[in-house]
Amino acid sequence: MKSKPIASRKLVKLCCRALVEKKAGDLRVLDVRGKSTITDFLVLATGTSEPHLRALRSELEKELDADDVHLVGMEATQESGWIVVDAFDVMVHLFSPEMRDHYCLENLWKDAVDVPVNELLAPPKKRKAAGKKGAKRASS
């Protein structure tokens, strides 16, 4: 049975939550819709070491798998300091600090819209319940 496609923004939120859970650093989301032909969003994060990068990748894979998200591909050359996880509408780049500084993808996508991660991770706002019209409280 084929899984239902997950909306791009929901997928970005899922990726961000997984990365925050494992303490990813310098998390950024770039909206590249209309600017890229290969993806809608880029998620960039920094790990403190190779084991941390592997833990970030593992958590990301686990969360995506739990939501039945099909991964198009993954590139993770050992000890390279850069892991790419391609979920089609969202492409996640996990970097060591040195590789993040070296490649500086944010500068390559200067025309992308920076999506505030805190807004993505904020709990949904609750709607105020409408009061019952004409209802009176019984007094004791």
Side-chain angles (χ1 to χ4, degrees):
M1 185 161 92
K2 203 170 191 181
S3 60
K4 292 190 308 187
I6 185 170
S8 295
R9 195 153 177 99
K10 182 180 176 193
L11 184 54
V12 168
K13 288 179 183 184
L14 180 68
C15 291
C16 287
R17 282 191 191 107
L19 295 171
V20 165
E21 181 69 26
K22 287 294 179 186
K23 312 286 189 231
D26 196 15
L27 188 58
R28 299 237 353 237
V29 175
L30 304 176
D31 183 342
V32 295
R33 290 177 290 186
K35 295 165 183 39
S36 170
T37 58
I38 60 170
T39 195
D40 290 342
F41 292 93
L42 295 173
V43 176
L44 311 174
T46 304
T48 57
S49 62
E50 284 295 328
H52 188 208
L53 287 173
R54 288 192 300 272
L56 293 171
R57 186 210 67 223
S58 178
E59 183 68 16
L60 188 59
E61 283 181 285
K62 183 175 85 178
E63 292 299 322
L64 294 174
D65 187 52
D67 255 48
D68 291 326
V69 175
H70 172 72
L71 293 181
V72 177
M74 183 175 353
E75 183 67 34
T77 306
Q78 192 157 357
E79 305 297 321
S80 71
W82 187 3
I83 296 171
V84 180
V85 179
D86 186 353
F88 191 70
D89 290 336
V90 177
M91 192 172 290
V92 180
H93 294 268
L94 306 172
F95 292 101
S96 67
E98 299 79 22
M99 291 296 106
R100 179 90 180 248
D101 289 343
H102 179 76
Y103 288 105
C104 207
L105 289 187
E106 296 91 335
N107 287 344
L108 291 176
W109 292 97
K110 286 181 185 176
D111 56 342
V113 176
D114 211 342
V115 180
V117 174
N118 59 340
E119 287 178 18
L120 289 169
L121 298 175
K125 293 180 182 176
K126 294 183 179 181
R127 294 182 184 176
K128 290 184 181 180
K132 294 181 181 178
K133 292 183 180 178
K136 293 183 180 178
R137 287 190 177 202
S139 58
S140 341

